[in-house]
Amino acid sequence: MEPLPAPSPTSVRITGDHYQWLIAWTGCLTLLRENAIHTANPVLSVGVEADDAGNLDDVVLRRRTPPHTYSQVKYTVNSTTPVNEDYLTKPSPTGGPSILKKIATTWRTLTADGIDADLAIITNRAPDPNDLLIAVRDARTQLLLPKAAHGTARAKIGKARTRWAQNADLSESELHDLLSHLRFDLSRELQHVQEQLQLLMAVCGLRNDSHAVDEGANWVAQQVRGGHRTLTLDIVKAAVDSLGLKTGPAHAILSIATLKPDPLAAEADHTINWIDRFETNSAYTKRRPLAPATWAQLQDDIEAAPARLPGRTNISVSGSLRLAPAFLIGTAFRMVTGADLAVLQRGDLWSTRDTYDTECDPTVKEYDIGQGVDLAVGINVTVKEEDFTQDVLEYLEGQNIPASRLLILTPPAGPKDRSVLDSPAANALAVGIRDALRGPSRVTSRVHLFLACPMGLALLLGHRWNRLRPTVVYEDVNRAQVYEPAFFIQA
C-alpha cells in the first residue's frame, strides 16, 4: 500500500472539527441515557463552543447540580507533539498564553463563586512517558494526582510542579487544586472515539452502525453552524426521532473488566475493574484471578452489583470477561428479579428482552460417570464435540467429581463457529437448555456446569437459571487439568 500524502490544512481542520463533533455527540448520548434511567444527577444540557466557558468551551456538560464538566478538545494528525510540559506551557503560535495558563485562568473564573468544576483535556495526543508529571497520570481517573504531589520541592518532580505553577501564574497549592479537577483524557484516537460511540449508542437503545455515528456527529455540526450551541434533552430527543435512530430502551451500564480496559467504564453506572487482579499481562491469556485475589472475591463483587444499580430494570453489561463470570452476572440479575440484561456480542446487542418464535431444543448426549450423585453438564456451542467432551470427562474423572453422569448439550445442528447468530436465537437456545435440564436436575443435589459458548449466551443462560439445583460453574483455565471451579451459585 502506497503511503498517503500529507494532509492539507483544510483536511486537518475538517478532521479536527469532526473529532470535536464526535465528542459532543458522546455528551448528547450521556444526556439521553442519564435522563432515561433517572440517574441522581443527570446532564441537563450539552454546550458546544459554549459561552462563559473560557478556554474549556469546546464541549460542556451541565448537570442538575454542579460540578459541570468543561472540556477542551484537541486533535492532531501526527505524533510529533505528545502531551508534556513543553506542549502545555509553551506560548501559543501568536505569542499568547500557554494551554496551561489558559486553563488555569478559566478555572479561576469558573470557580470564583466557590463551586467546583470538572475539567478535561480530550485529545488523540499520547502522553509523554518521559515527562515527570504526565508520566504519573492515573489511567483510572485520568488525574495526575496523587502521584504528582509526591516528592519535595527540591526533587525533580517538585521542580516540575514549580515550573507548571509559575507558567500558570498559580501558587503551588492552587496548582494542586487545579490538578485535582483537571483530567487528561489522552490517546483518544479517532477510531477509538467512533468505536466507543457505537457501544454507547447501543446501550442508549439507538442504531449503532458507523453510519448512525456519523449522522449524530453531523447533526451536532449542523446545530453549531446554525448558532445552536446549547443542546437540551428535548432538542436531542427530537434529533433522534428525526434521524430514525431509536431502536429500544436505554440501559444502565454495568462495566465489568477482567481481560482488558472497558471503553464504556467512564460512562458506567457501576464499575468492577479486575484487570490487574487476573493472571498475565495479555488479554488473550488472562484466565484466572492472580493470588491473593480469588474467584470468591470476584463473585462477591459481581453479586453486590444489583444493590449498586437500584431501580434499574434495563441493564447493559459492558467490558471483557470469560464465560463463568458472564454466567454469574446473568444469575445475579436473573429473570425472577425483574431485570432485563443486554450485552454486546459481535457488535450486536443481545438482550433478554428479545423475543423468538419457538424455543430451541438442544441435542443431549449422556455419559456414565458413576462417581457420586451429582449431575455434570456441558454446554457446547462452539468447540469440536469430541474434544470438549473428552476434556470434561477427563476432568471429572481426574478430579474425582462426585457425579453420576454427564450430559452434553449442543445446538440441534451441532457445535460450530457462529452456530448462534443473533439474540433471538441465543434466547431460544438458552430457554431450551434450561428446560432440558430441569427434569434431570430434580434427582440430584448439585450441578457441575462446563461452558463452551458465546459469552452472550452464557449471560442469557445464567439469567434464566431458575428451578434448577445449586450449581458449580467451572472456567477453562488452560492448565493441565483444563478446568477449575470458579463459582458456586444457589439456584
Side-chain angles (χ1 to χ4, degrees):
M1 182 176 180
E2 292 295 323
L4 293 174
S8 68
T10 301
S11 172
V12 173
R13 186 183 70 253
I14 291 173
T15 305
D17 287 345
H18 184 64
Y19 185 81
Q20 181 180 345
W21 311 147
L22 289 170
I23 299 298
W25 181 238
T26 302
C28 292
L29 296 178
T30 301
L31 166 72
L32 278 176
R33 195 184 67 83
E34 289 188 350
N35 284 274
I37 67 172
H38 306 294
T39 59
N41 187 26
V43 173
L44 297 184
S45 69
V46 179
V48 187
E49 298 182 359
D51 294 327
D52 303 322
N55 198 51
L56 293 161
D57 65 339
D58 290 339
V59 178
V60 177
L61 306 185
R62 298 190 183 276
R63 296 188 174 276
R64 178 178 295 161
T65 304
H68 309 307
T69 299
Y70 301 86
S71 302
Q72 181 180 103
V73 180
K74 293 284 191 179
Y75 180 80
T76 183
V77 295
N78 56 52
S79 302
T80 60
T81 54
V83 177
N84 55 23
E85 182 177 332
D86 181 64
Y87 171 76
L88 294 168
T89 62
K90 70 179 180 181
S92 71
T94 60
S98 67
I99 292 173
L100 183 61
K101 177 65 179 293
K102 291 177 180 178
I103 290 174
T105 300
T106 299
W107 171 68
R108 275 178 161 166
T109 302
L110 293 173
T111 59
D113 55 2
I115 297 176
D116 281 340
D118 175 41
L119 315 177
I121 298 175
I122 303 174
T123 179
N124 63 329
R125 287 177 171 85
D128 186 343
N130 298 313
D131 186 90
L132 291 168
L133 294 178
I134 296 297
V136 298
R137 168 179 167 270
D138 189 326
R140 298 166 299 177
T141 64
Q142 301 174 338
L143 297 173
L144 304 189
L145 297 180
K147 290 185 178 180
H150 295 172
T152 66
R154 300 178 64 180
K156 288 183 178 180
I157 196 169
K159 292 178 180 178
R161 289 197 304 268
T162 299
R163 292 192 298 271
W164 281 39
Q166 291 174 345
N167 181 270
D169 195 22
L170 300 173
S171 67
E172 292 254 0
S173 63
E174 287 174 325
L175 178 68
H176 185 281
D177 288 345
L178 172 61
L179 295 183
S180 68
H181 296 89
L182 177 58
R183 292 182 291 107
F184 289 81
D185 190 351
L186 310 180
S187 297
R188 289 281 298 275
E189 294 291 348
L190 183 61
Q191 182 179 353
H192 168 77
V193 173
Q194 291 169 326
E195 290 174 352
Q196 181 191 32
L197 273 167
Q198 287 185 268
L199 297 175
L200 190 53
M201 290 181 76
V203 301
C204 285
L206 307 181
R207 284 195 293 114
N208 70 322
D209 54 273
S210 59
H211 180 65
V213 170
D214 287 339
E215 285 184 292
N218 292 339
W219 173 81
V220 172
Q222 290 173 357
Q223 302 310 299
V224 175
R225 286 194 293 268
H228 306 294
R229 293 183 291 175
T230 299
L231 309 177
T232 63
L233 179 61
D234 287 343
I235 291 172
V236 177
K237 280 184 174 180
V240 166
D241 290 340
S242 66
L243 295 172
L245 296 177
K246 193 70 175 176
T247 60
H251 294 74
I253 301 175
L254 172 62
S255 170
I256 304 181
T258 61
L259 309 179
K260 59 183 179 180
D262 178 13
L264 288 186
E267 298 286 342
D269 301 283
H270 181 58
T271 301
I272 299 173
N273 185 350
W274 267 61
I275 296 171
D276 294 334
R277 300 174 73 179
F278 261 58
E279 289 183 346
T280 83
N281 294 321
S282 169
Y284 298 102
T285 57
K286 287 179 181 287
R287 298 269 180 165
R288 64 208 296 232
L290 175 66
T294 65
W295 288 113
Q297 291 170 332
L298 179 57
Q299 180 164 359
D300 288 342
D301 285 355
I302 290 175
E303 291 185 337
R308 305 291 191 271
L309 296 165
R312 310 292 192 228
T313 56
N314 297 305
I315 300 157
S316 182
V317 180
S318 67
S320 56
L321 56 158
R322 301 193 64 80
L323 297 180
F327 183 87
L328 177 64
I329 294 166
T331 65
F333 292 90
R334 68 188 74 186
M335 183 177 286
V336 294
T337 67
D340 283 305
L341 285 179
V343 67
L344 277 169
Q345 182 74 40
R346 304 190 192 101
D348 295 324
L349 201 66
W350 286 17
S351 171
T352 58
R353 296 171 61 93
D354 289 333
T355 59
Y356 52 89
D357 294 330
T358 57
E359 68 181 57
C360 178
D361 296 325
T363 299
V364 182
K365 293 185 179 180
E366 182 173 335
Y367 300 85
D368 181 61
I369 304 298
Q371 297 178 170
V373 296
D374 292 354
L375 176 66
V377 174
I379 310 297
N380 182 17
V381 177
T382 56
V383 178
K384 189 176 180 180
E385 189 166 357
E386 53 267 34
D387 292 345
F388 175 77
T389 302
Q390 187 64 28
D391 285 343
V392 174
L393 285 170
E394 289 180 358
Y395 179 82
L396 293 172
E397 294 168 359
Q399 300 298 314
N400 198 29
I401 302 299
S404 62
R405 54 181 173 152
L406 166 66
L407 301 182
I408 298 291
L409 286 73
T410 62
K416 57 184 177 181
D417 187 38
R418 299 185 66 82
S419 59
V420 181
L421 292 177
D422 54 27
S423 181
N427 277 285
L429 182 58
V431 171
I433 290 171
R434 179 202 62 190
D435 291 351
L437 291 174
R438 279 178 170 170
S441 71
R442 289 195 187 101
V443 296
T444 187
S445 59
R446 181 175 296 188
V447 173
H448 299 265
L449 181 63
F450 301 83
L451 298 166
C453 62
M455 185 270 288
L457 177 60
L459 183 137
L460 298 180
L461 183 61
H463 180 70
R464 289 181 164 86
W465 203 253
N466 61 314
R467 293 185 65 198
L468 292 160
R469 306 301 295 163
T471 302
V472 181
V473 187
Y474 294 80
E475 184 60 81
D476 181 343
V477 293
N478 198 29
R479 297 294 193 274
Q481 77 276 14
V482 183
Y483 297 100
E484 71 179 22
F487 307 117
F488 178 75
I489 296 168
Q490 295 290 347

